[in-house]
Amino acid sequence: MLEQRIFAEAAHAFSRAGEPFLEARALAHGALAAAVKTEKGYRPSPADIKEAYGGAADRFHLAAILAPNERLATRCHTVAGDCFVRADMLVEAAKEYEKGREYEKSAVSYRKAGSFEDAVRIVQGHRSDVQDETATKIIEVSKVQFAR
């Protein structure tokens, strides 16, 4: 509770200071703290976890859009991808990882989501950023899927 209030207070201060990125980032971290609390609560439903982490991911995505430089935007996209994975929203995670230049995580998320064409596209387009073992697995699984 205290942690969430601190993030809200920080967001308010950044808003008053005219810092939209810092405000968005504070709200995103507050949403992530709330999602972790939800997950660790007493028997949370999968829908509750999905909603909490999905909301946090959306806030990190907004922060990435508002980021003043590429490094911060990339980091926010990556954290959004991590949140989408926790929400079991794998296609959304893959898209955020791709924007965050985490190409291996993007390809794996696309594969797990059943989006084999996108997984292969990532592997072929960013071969040096995907480990050989991961690339081989994705290509082999995709070949089997395309043969069906």
Side-chain angles (χ1 to χ4, degrees), residues 3-63:
E3 189 174 88
Q4 290 169 297
R5 191 171 76 227
I6 290 170
F7 286 121
E9 289 175 8
H12 179 68
F14 289 132
S15 175
R16 292 184 63 197
E19 295 285 352
F21 166 69
L22 295 176
E23 176 188 4
R25 194 169 73 173
L27 290 171
H29 280 287
L32 179 56
V36 170
K37 186 176 180 180
T38 297
E39 186 176 36
K40 291 182 178 182
Y42 182 73
R43 296 186 183 183
S45 72
D48 290 340
I49 293 170
K50 183 175 186 168
E51 181 179 343
Y53 279 106
D58 289 338
R59 290 204 180 254
F60 276 105
H61 176 80
L62 176 61

Side-chain angles (χ1 to χ4, degrees), residues 87-125:
D88 198 31
M89 301 169 74
L90 298 176
V91 171
E92 292 85 349
K95 290 176 183 177
E96 290 296 327
Y97 284 141
E98 187 173 359
K99 290 174 187 171
R101 297 184 180 147
E102 291 283 345
Y103 298 115
E104 183 160 355
K105 287 183 176 182
S106 178
V108 169
S109 294
Y110 276 130
R111 181 187 58 80
K112 287 181 179 179
S115 296
F116 297 102
E117 288 181 27
D118 288 319
V120 170
R121 175 182 56 80
I122 295 293
V123 167
Q124 290 176 341

